[in-house]
């Protein structure tokens, strides 16, 4: 017995330590997860609840104060005053056009009674915010005659209003349509005429076409080179499968030299093309001006006709007046503050809500009609009323554009990094740099986008190179030829940097490798210089730029999308690299074994295999890009631009325009609104909408990805 | 702890009986492994090549071929002729360079960093390591099947016609005809003809390997290279592949690397026994397995060494 005990004592391990007990860890980790999840759920719940109650119609209260004042309003908040400690209520009282604040705090102890009168209505109007009052009459006004009263008394007025309002709104919409489409197109035609004259004047004053003839000599250089290469290939066609038979590289070099020479030739011809129009002289300019004046006169006549048409419709429209009276002052809702003594037009009413008598169904009706208005119309009243349609369109288009830009860019970069580049110190360095790009504060991208895309690239598109940077024609063409020759040299060096089959690279190969890098860098620098210092290019929108209204040389959709693309590039590169690395090497070997080239293998095996991963990257980029606001403030998002970035008019996508964006809209509503109390509920609603849109975009992308995955993978995978 | 006890137990009972037969340097027991010993000392003894090999017409001719992975030499001065229209098997213990030799023929080793070769290999009299050779057109003349079945993640049809696709063939009828012919040759047509549009990854391992063989022969290669094609398959699938190799050998020259001596005996016409990057003995399979010239070969094929 004692013997066994001693053996036990030798082999016995220590009792389980308290620290080895894992149960608390389960609780701790689970608890952490629950805390995280509940924070997210609470955030979403808060947004959903607050966002969706904005449009729910609330009771209109008639408040009587102890001092005898009576007013109509909707209670929006109830809280204790921080300073005085009294309970007070925030009433939305509207009626801004008769000179009162549209929100007022009332101490609860001042209130003597609150009623909810059945006939109280809330008017949502096109301008000047809401109006609270009691319907009195609907009147038809005749010029110089007695007005006809169509309905009198609350009930009758509401019935008549229901009958008349729809038609009145339709008329109003027609007027807006005429103004926007007809007048808009006439205006833009006049503007186009003016710009074409302006452009002709600018070109006439420049008159430097003589420069172009210089280029002709240099076409000759590339022409001879191209023809020579073609001749060599033809001459050597019988010398085996490979030109020169001794070395595959010589054939490749000659063929590629021919291609480069041909490309440079075409480029040179395009730059100094003789088919380009001759410079207009003064006499031609005069004729152009005269023609333009005639066309403009015709357009102005047309303009007046449309105006007359609009007036006619408006006159009929303005006959119908709605008199809604505020009970205390007896004032009715006017047409506008300047026309304060005329009752408003029926067509100015967006919605009339008799909140106190509405059934639940009626309330639901109002709720959904407000939502629809919110989603489908333009904003009004400094964004505090109306809809966010252009904002939604701007956000969605921007997000799609950025995804379209970033995905190919990122995929190509990742392909090079993973498939072509030699894995070594430099590649790791680049990889680290790319990863660090993801950590750069987004506002920095905004500053870069504004400086580089908007002003530098955009300015170049508008007016060509900066005047002081333009080179003389001789120097420029010299540089052009140098670039062409260096391209061929660089290619040759690259060819000779490859070792012979089955041999290790010799020092000659290694030097050629370094040399080719040097030459490529030089070519890159030359190309940048050739582009930025070209003496021939004066931009596409010179006239507008000289008028001080740059087209691309300012903030706009295109630059915003590119800035965000740059911002989200690391996400795509990292995701794509991982996806490419996950494609098994046996697939690549199998493809090579079938006689596929590297590019064929990438295109047919690697990319399809990596596609789900690439899409994951695109989705992440989209999610990141959709939520960015800070850089957008610098590169293109604006408070108000009702012109959509897409339209049915050519070029269909107006990438040069500034745009509205939900993220910026939330900021604007919350912090820059002139009527912050009115905008506050909309902050929640817009946040909810923003969340929903980002979610919808992501969901669509995820659906596409999972369909692709199902198509790619076999049933067992 | 457990290991210790195990080893002591076996040491006391059965193990040493087997060990006495295993190879020991400078000849174990009564037999001397002269060639192997020479190779182990780093010499290049002349391989024993049976005259039958030299008599037949050769499709691949390896001449004084050496290969280094950076510093390590994997193939030492190998010269061999692969007879046309026959199945030639490369056998030998792991690391003897048989796969490397196979992969040198379609220059798959180009993909490995730091590989250097000396000497030459010619395929139908055209050298494959000449600077003028385009490696892609070279690989198009050869078909290759790998150890692990590696069908691409696409339909069976697309897998089989892949070599034609990369040659730019688009005519549907041509592709369909080639696909059917190739799948019939690979003895899998009846199993997959109703599911050609389904993913090849849904097939069993043996079926996948036969699809890979169909893919390798669809473009009529001059030589079919098989790199241990059955090592990842179960016995039934292995048997099917072996039958298939016998059928295919009527039309193609096949070079097969195998670990499995029985397999080499079953499918091949000629066998080369390799050791540490050298050819030890090379001759008709029957001779090599029944009356080999060298004691080493006899011991290796009968499983007593290696």
């Amino acid at each position: 017995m004692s013997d066994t005990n001693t053996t036990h004592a030798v082999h016995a391990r220590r009792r389980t330590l308290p620290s080895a007990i894992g149960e608390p860890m389960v609780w701790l980790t689970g608890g952490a997860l629950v805390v995280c999840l509940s924070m997210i759920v609470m955030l979403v719940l808060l947004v959903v609840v607050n966002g969706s109650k904005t449009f729910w119609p609330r009771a209109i209260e008639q408040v009587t104060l102890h001092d005898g004042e009576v007013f109509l309003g909707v209670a929006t908040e109830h809280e204790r005053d921080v300073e005085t400690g009294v309970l007070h209520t925030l009433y939305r009282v509207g009626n801004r056009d008769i000179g009162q604040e549209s929100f007022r705090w009332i101490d609860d102890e001042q209130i003597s009674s609150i009623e909810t009168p059945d006939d109280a209505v809330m008017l949502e109007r096109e301008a000047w915010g809401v109006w609270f009052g009691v319907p009195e009459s609907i009147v038809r006004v005749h010029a110089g005659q007695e007005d006809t009263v169509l309905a009198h008394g609350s009930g009758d007025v509401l019935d008549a209003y229901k009958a008349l309002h729809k038609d009145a709104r339709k008329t109003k919409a027609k007027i807006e349509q005429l103004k926007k489409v007809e007048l808009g197109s006439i205006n833009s035609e006049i503007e186009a005429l003016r710009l074409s004259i302006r452009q002709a004047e600018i070109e006439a004053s420049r008159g430097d076409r003589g420069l172009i003839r210089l280029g002709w000599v240099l076409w000759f250089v590339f022409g001879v080179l191209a023809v020579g290469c073609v001749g060599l290939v033809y001459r050597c066609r019988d010398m085996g499968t490979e030109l020169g038979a001794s070395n595959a590289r010589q054939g490749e070099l000659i063929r590629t030299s021919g291609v480069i020479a041909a490309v440079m030739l075409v480029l040179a011809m395009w730059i100094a093309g003789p088919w380009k129009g001759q410079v207009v002289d003064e006499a031609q300019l005069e004729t152009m001006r005269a023609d333009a004046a005639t066309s403009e006169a015709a357009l102005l006549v047309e303009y007046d006709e449309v105006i007359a048409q609009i007036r006619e419709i408006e006159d009929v429209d303005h006959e119908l007046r709605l008199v809604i009276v505020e009970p205390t002052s007896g004032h009715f809702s006017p047409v506008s503050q300047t026309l304060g003594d005329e009752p408003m037009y029926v067509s100015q009413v967006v919605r009339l809500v008799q909140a106190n008598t509405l059934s639940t169904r009626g309330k639901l009706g109002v709720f959904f009609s407000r939502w629809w208005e919110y989603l489908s119309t333009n904003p009004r009243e400094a964004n505090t009323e109306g809809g966010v349609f252009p904002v939604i369109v701007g956000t969605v288009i921007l997000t799609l554009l950025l995804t379209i830009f970033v995905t190919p860019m990122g995929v190509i970069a990742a392909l090079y990094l993973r498939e072509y580049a030699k894995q070594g110190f430099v590649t790791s360095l680049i990889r680290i740099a790319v990863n660090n790009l993801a950590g750069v504060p987004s506002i920095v991208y905004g500053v870069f986008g504004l400086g580089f895309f908007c002003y530098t690239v955009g300015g170049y598109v508008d007016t060509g190179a900066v005047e002081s940077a333009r080179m003389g024609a001789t120097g420029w063409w010299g540089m052009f030829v140098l670039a062409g020759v260096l391209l061929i040299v660089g290619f040759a060096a690259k060819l000779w940097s490859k070792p012979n089959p089955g041999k290790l690279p010799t020092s000659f190969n290694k030097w050629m490798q370094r040399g080719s890098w040097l030459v490529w860098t030089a070519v890159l620098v030359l190309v940048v210089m050739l582009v930025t210092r070209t003496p021939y290019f004066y931009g596409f929108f010179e006239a507008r730029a000289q008028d001080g209204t740059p087209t691309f040389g300012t903030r706009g959709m295109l630059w915003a999308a590119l800035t965000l693309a740059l911002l989200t590039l690391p996400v795509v590169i990292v995701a794509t690299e991982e996806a490419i690395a996950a494609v098994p090497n046996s697939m690549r070997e199998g493809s090579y074994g079938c006689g596929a080239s590297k590019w064929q293998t990438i295109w047919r095996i690697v990319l399809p295999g990596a596609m789900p991963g690439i899409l994951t990257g695109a989705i992440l980029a989209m999610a990141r890009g959709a939520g960015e606001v800070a850089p957008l403030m610098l590169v293109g998002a604006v408070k108000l631009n009702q012109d959509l970035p897409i339209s049915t008019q050519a070029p269909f996508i107006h990438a040069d325009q500034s745009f509205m964006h939900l993220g910026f809209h939330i900021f604007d509503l919350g912090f820059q609104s002139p009527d912050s109390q009115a905008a506050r509920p909309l902050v929640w609603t817009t946040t909810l909408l923003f969340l929903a849109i980002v979610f919808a975009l992501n969901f669509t992308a995820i659906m596409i990805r999972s369909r692709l995955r199902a198509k790619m993978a076999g049933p067992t995978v | 702890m457990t290991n210790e006890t195990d080893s002591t137990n076996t040491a006391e009972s059965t193990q040493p009986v087997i060990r006495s037969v295993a190879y020991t340097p400078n000849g174990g027991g009564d037999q001397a492994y002269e060639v192997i010993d020479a190779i182990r000392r780093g010499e290049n003894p002349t391989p024993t090549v049976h005259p039958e090999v030299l008599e037949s017409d050769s499709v691949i001719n390896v001449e004084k071929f050496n290969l280094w992975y950076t510093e390590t030499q994997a193939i030492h001065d190998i010269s061999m002729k692969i007879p046309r229209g026959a199945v030639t098997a490369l056998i030998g213990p792991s690391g003897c360079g048989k796969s490397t030799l196979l992969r040198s023929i379609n220059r798959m080793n180009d993909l490995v960093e730091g590989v250097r070769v000396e000497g030459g290999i010619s395929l139908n009299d055209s050298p494959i390591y000449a600077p003028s050779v385009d490696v892609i057109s070279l690989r198009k003349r050869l078909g290759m099947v790998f150890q692990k079945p590696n069908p691409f993640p696409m339909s069976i049809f697309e897998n089989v016609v892949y070599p034609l696709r990369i040659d730019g063939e688009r005519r549907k009828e041509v592709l369909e005809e080639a696909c059917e012919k190739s799948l019939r040759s690979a003895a899998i047509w009846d199993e997959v003809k109703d599911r050609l549009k389904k993913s090849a990854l849904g097939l069993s391992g043996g079926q996948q390997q036969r699809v890979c063989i169909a893919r390798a022969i669809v473009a009529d290669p001059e030589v079919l290279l098989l790199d241990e094609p059955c090592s990842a398959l179960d016995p039934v699938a292995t048997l099917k592949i072996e039958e298939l190799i016998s059928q295919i050998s009527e039309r193609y020259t096949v070079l097969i690397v195998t670990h499995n001596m029985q397999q080499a005996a079953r499918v091949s016409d000629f066998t080369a026994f390799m050791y540490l990057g050298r050819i030890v003995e090379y001759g008709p399979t029957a001779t090599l397995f029944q009356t080999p010239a060298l004691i080493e070969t006899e011991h290796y094929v009968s499983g007593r060494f290696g």
Side-chain angles (χ1 to χ4, degrees):
Chain A
M1 194 65 194
S2 68
D3 194 57
T4 8
N5 273 345
T6 22
T7 0
H8 251 284
V10 169
H11 290 283
R13 293 191 46 184
R14 290 180 63 184
R15 240 167 13 88
T16 312
L17 292 173
S19 64
I21 299 169
E23 200 62 17
M25 283 302 137
V26 179
W27 289 94
L28 190 69
T29 48
L33 181 69
V34 168
V35 168
C36 294
L37 279 183
S38 53
M39 279 197 288
I40 294 170
V41 167
M42 265 154 62
L43 171 83
V44 173
L45 265 183
L46 189 71
V47 171
V48 169
V49 169
N50 278 312
S52 43
K53 74 182 184 192
T54 306
F55 295 135
W56 188 254
R58 274 178 279 183
I60 303 165
E61 295 172 356
Q62 181 169 354
V63 182
T64 314
L65 302 182
H66 287 306
D67 59 6
E69 190 189 347
V70 180
F71 65 87
L72 284 172
V74 171
T76 56
E77 265 173 59
H78 186 82
E79 61 175 40
R80 194 173 289 279
D81 192 316
V82 186
E83 285 165 22
T84 56
V86 238
L87 279 171
H88 59 175
T89 311
L90 182 66
Y91 278 97
R92 183 177 199 186
V93 292
N95 305 14
R96 200 145 52 87
D97 30 359
I98 54 167
Q100 67 178 9
E101 289 285 329
S102 56
F103 282 84
R104 57 191 285 193
W105 285 104
I106 303 291
D107 287 346
D108 284 2
E109 51 203 35
Q110 291 182 335
I111 298 172
S112 94
S113 70
I114 295 175
E115 293 162 54
T116 50
D118 282 351
D119 53 358
V121 295
M122 180 169 127
L123 275 188
E124 290 163 33
R125 303 177 295 175
E126 295 239 300
W128 293 101
V130 292
W131 179 277
F132 293 98
V134 177
E136 191 182 271
S137 59
I138 287 188
V139 182
R140 191 183 286 282
V141 183
H142 303 284
Q145 290 173 37
E146 190 73 5
D147 303 344
T148 2
V149 177
L150 297 180
H152 196 277
S154 180
D156 286 353
V157 168
L158 289 176
D159 289 341
Y161 165 82
K162 268 177 201 140
L164 293 168
H165 181 246
K166 216 170 199 175
D167 285 337
R169 290 297 286 171
K170 271 185 192 158
T171 317
K172 180 87 181 172
K174 199 181 168 197
I175 294 170
E176 291 302 319
Q177 179 79 357
L178 278 174
K179 278 185 184 165
K180 201 177 157 191
V181 177
E182 302 277 321
L183 293 188
S185 73
I186 293 173
N187 273 333
S188 63
E189 274 178 59
I190 293 175
E191 175 70 4
L193 273 175
R194 194 184 64 76
L195 283 175
S196 70
I197 296 294
R198 186 92 180 83
Q199 186 68 37
E201 283 170 359
I202 293 169
E203 279 170 20
S205 69
R206 192 156 52 222
D208 61 352
R209 296 278 156 167
L211 286 177
I212 287 168
R213 309 288 168 251
L214 250 173
W216 292 35
V217 183
L218 301 156
W219 299 4
F220 190 70
V221 177
F222 286 111
V224 167
L225 197 56
V227 170
C229 290
V230 171
L232 256 177
V233 171
Y234 183 76
R235 173 76 183 75
C236 303
R237 70 194 185 284
D238 295 330
M239 298 170 74
T241 47
E242 291 302 328
L243 191 67
S246 64
N247 198 328
R249 294 174 201 172
Q250 280 165 19
E252 207 174 326
L253 178 60
I254 294 170
R255 279 197 301 268
T256 316
S257 303
V259 171
I260 292 175
V263 168
M264 298 297 276
L265 181 70
V266 170
L267 211 63
M269 291 177 87
W270 183 69
I271 291 165
W275 57 85
K276 283 182 183 168
Q278 291 299 305
V279 184
V280 284
D281 56 23
E282 203 49 46
Q284 280 171 308
L285 257 184
E286 275 312 313
T287 346
M288 283 177 76
R289 285 195 189 112
D291 286 350
T294 333
S295 320
E296 196 180 334
L299 283 171
L300 284 176
V301 172
E302 215 178 302
Y303 190 89
D304 289 339
E305 279 169 12
V306 177
I307 291 283
Q309 199 186 344
I310 290 173
R311 286 274 149 71
E312 210 173 294
I313 304 171
E314 268 181 351
D315 283 345
V316 179
D317 177 52
H318 291 179
E319 281 176 4
L320 273 182
R321 308 295 180 106
L322 179 63
V323 185
I324 306 281
V325 176
E326 191 190 33
T328 30
S329 63
H331 207 294
F332 49 77
S333 164
V335 174
S336 67
Q337 205 172 26
T338 42
L339 292 171
D341 49 354
E342 286 195 43
M344 69 185 298
Y345 316 132
V346 173
S347 63
Q348 282 180 308
V349 181
V350 175
R351 191 176 295 103
L352 185 150
V353 186
Q354 198 182 4
N356 297 344
T357 60
L358 278 180
S359 61
T360 314
R361 216 178 130 193
K363 282 181 177 173
L364 270 176
V366 171
F367 179 73
F368 285 117
S369 112
R370 278 175 177 168
W371 260 109
W372 175 243
E373 184 203 351
Y374 178 70
L375 294 176
S376 67
T377 64
N378 288 333
R380 299 190 313 264
E381 291 294 292
N383 297 346
T384 57
E385 282 182 19
V388 289
F389 181 64
V391 194
I392 296 173
V393 174
T395 311
V396 171
I397 300 277
L398 178 77
T399 310
L400 292 182
L401 263 186
L402 95 89
T403 316
I404 289 169
F405 286 142
V406 75
T407 313
M409 256 202 291
V411 169
I412 290 169
L415 265 184
Y416 186 83
L417 268 183
R418 192 51 80 172
E419 290 285 316
Y420 287 112
K422 200 175 157 195
Q423 302 298 316
F425 177 68
V426 181
T427 5
S428 320
L429 208 67
I430 291 173
R431 212 162 270 144
I432 292 168
V434 165
N435 282 321
N436 280 342
L437 269 185
V440 174
S442 57
I443 192 76
V444 176
Y445 285 96
V447 175
F448 171 78
L450 183 67
F452 181 71
F453 288 128
C454 301
Y455 294 153
T456 311
V457 181
Y460 187 81
V461 173
D462 272 4
T463 58
V466 185
E467 204 53 52
S468 58
R470 288 183 200 277
M471 290 177 79
T474 327
W476 194 84
W477 280 113
M479 215 154 85
F480 185 83
V481 174
L482 185 66
V485 172
L486 279 184
L487 260 178
I488 295 172
V489 171
F491 191 78
K494 185 73 207 165
L495 270 185
W496 281 313
S497 74
K498 286 180 192 156
N500 276 329
K503 301 287 178 256
L504 291 175
T506 59
S507 63
F508 173 74
N509 294 142
K510 284 178 186 160
W511 279 109
M512 279 295 153
Q513 175 71 26
R514 287 169 204 150
S516 75
W517 277 112
L518 211 67
V519 175
W520 288 129
T521 317
V523 169
L524 190 71
V525 171
L526 277 184
V527 168
V528 171
M529 279 173 72
L530 281 173
V531 172
T532 52
R533 310 192 66 184
T534 168
Y536 296 105
F537 182 63
Y538 292 96
F540 297 107
F541 305 98
E542 211 182 354
R544 287 195 57 182
Q546 295 215 350
D547 283 359
T549 52
T551 316
F552 279 98
T554 181
R555 305 148 18 116
M557 174 66 95
L558 179 67
W559 307 135
L562 281 174
T563 307
L564 289 189
L566 200 66
L567 176 97
T568 50
L569 194 59
V571 178
V572 179
I573 292 183
V574 170
T576 309
E577 266 210 81
E578 273 168 20
I580 289 173
V583 174
N585 254 330
S586 65
M587 294 293 149
R588 292 189 185 86
E589 282 196 341
S591 174
Y592 292 136
C594 289
S597 68
K598 183 140 198 169
W599 173 246
Q600 282 174 320
T601 304
I602 289 174
W603 184 249
R604 290 172 179 269
I605 305 294
V606 177
L607 274 186
M611 200 45 90
I614 293 172
L615 283 180
T616 304
I619 291 165
L620 288 175
M622 200 158 96
R624 169 100 204 266
E628 276 303 335
V629 184
L632 293 183
M633 292 179 175
L634 296 180
V635 292
V638 289
K639 182 184 175 75
L640 185 67
N641 181 3
Q642 297 186 350
D643 296 331
L644 299 181
I646 45 169
S647 75
T648 49
Q649 285 174 342
F652 308 113
I653 291 181
H654 305 282
D656 58 313
Q657 281 184 10
S658 56
F659 56 93
M660 299 178 79
H661 186 269
L662 277 168
F664 183 70
H665 198 74
I666 293 171
F667 170 73
D668 178 69
L669 286 171
F671 298 100
Q672 308 214 299
S673 180
D675 192 352
S676 60
Q677 289 293 3
R680 226 163 107 178
L682 281 176
V683 173
W684 289 110
T685 312
T686 314
T687 310
L688 174 64
L689 180 68
F690 196 15
L691 275 183
I693 283 179
V694 172
F695 178 75
L697 283 172
N698 279 322
F699 186 73
T700 319
I702 290 169
M703 287 306 289
I704 293 173
R705 181 182 62 183
S706 63
R707 285 188 66 167
L708 197 84
R709 245 186 212 153
K711 216 175 102 184
M712 298 254 318
T716 52
V717 176
Chain B
M1 229 164 50
T2 35
N3 275 343
E4 259 175 48
T5 18
D6 277 3
S7 59
T8 27
N9 282 341
T10 36
E12 283 162 11
S13 51
T14 51
Q15 203 65 20
V17 185
I18 298 167
R19 201 175 274 173
S20 67
V21 182
Y23 170 69
T24 47
N26 302 316
D30 51 340
Q31 286 133 345
Y33 289 169
E34 281 166 21
V35 181
I36 296 281
D37 283 340
I39 291 173
R40 286 215 151 188
R41 284 194 300 271
E43 294 164 18
N44 287 343
T46 320
T48 312
V49 180
H50 295 250
E52 291 90 334
V53 181
L54 300 171
E55 283 161 15
S56 53
D57 173 28
S58 70
V59 57
I60 292 170
N61 199 349
V62 184
E63 271 179 86
K64 298 191 186 313
F65 190 72
N66 289 281
L67 185 141
W68 289 262
Y69 289 117
T70 342
E71 295 301 312
T72 330
Q73 184 163 10
I75 290 180
H76 296 260
D77 207 29
I78 285 187
S79 294
M80 70 185 291
K81 288 172 188 286
I82 313 286
R84 189 183 299 280
V87 180
T88 304
L90 297 176
I91 59 170
S94 302
C96 72
K98 47 194 195 309
S99 275
T100 305
L101 183 62
L102 188 87
R103 286 164 157 263
S104 300
I105 291 170
N106 66 352
R107 280 175 61 177
M108 278 312 238
N109 284 328
D110 285 17
L111 303 171
V112 183
E113 188 87 359
V115 163
R116 179 164 63 90
V117 306
E118 260 171 34
I121 300 176
S122 55
L123 171 65
N124 281 325
D125 293 332
S126 63
I128 67 169
Y129 276 94
S132 61
V133 170
D134 177 20
V135 66
I136 289 165
S137 34
L138 169 76
R139 289 191 192 131
K140 284 181 182 172
R141 295 162 65 189
L142 301 156
M144 181 152 186
V145 177
F146 298 81
Q147 279 188 26
K148 233 182 110 209
N150 59 349
F152 303 134
M154 38 175 108
S155 71
I156 296 169
F157 176 79
E158 286 301 327
N159 256 288
V160 175
V161 300
Y162 184 80
L164 303 178
R165 285 264 188 227
I166 58 175
D167 286 347
E169 182 61 69
R170 281 156 190 261
R171 286 167 297 171
K172 207 167 175 239
E173 64 280 2
V174 174
L175 292 175
E176 277 172 357
E177 198 193 317
C179 177
E180 181 177 344
K181 189 172 147 239
S182 187
L183 284 171
R184 279 188 193 283
S185 304
I188 194 181
W189 172 252
D190 291 328
E191 288 164 61
V192 298
K193 64 183 175 195
D194 301 322
R195 47 195 289 202
L196 288 178
K197 299 292 170 205
K198 298 257 174 65
S199 170
L201 300 178
L203 299 172
S204 73
Q207 286 173 323
Q208 288 188 0
Q209 194 62 304
R210 276 180 285 156
V211 166
C212 289
I213 293 178
R215 184 175 74 193
I217 60 177
V218 73
D220 274 324
E222 292 167 36
V223 177
L224 187 59
L225 307 173
L226 307 177
D227 188 358
E228 300 187 33
C230 303
S231 64
L233 302 181
D234 62 69
V236 179
T238 303
L239 194 69
K240 281 194 172 168
I241 301 278
E242 285 177 5
E243 280 170 11
L244 169 59
I245 292 170
S246 309
Q247 283 171 29
I248 285 181
S249 66
E250 290 162 18
R251 288 171 47 213
Y252 298 99
T253 306
V254 178
L255 183 59
I256 177 171
V257 164
T258 177
H259 249 107
N260 181 334
M261 262 110 38
Q262 285 75 28
Q263 186 172 63
R266 282 193 296 264
V267 301
S268 70
D269 304 313
F270 296 93
T271 301
F273 169 42
M274 291 178 70
Y275 188 75
L276 287 184
R278 286 97 167 162
I279 302 267
V280 177
E281 187 169 357
Y282 179 26
T285 304
T287 321
L288 215 74
F289 275 81
Q290 284 151 23
T291 53
L294 298 178
I295 188 80
E296 289 93 330
T297 315
E298 193 189 323
H299 279 186
Y300 182 74
V301 298
S302 58
R304 276 186 279 168
F305 142 69

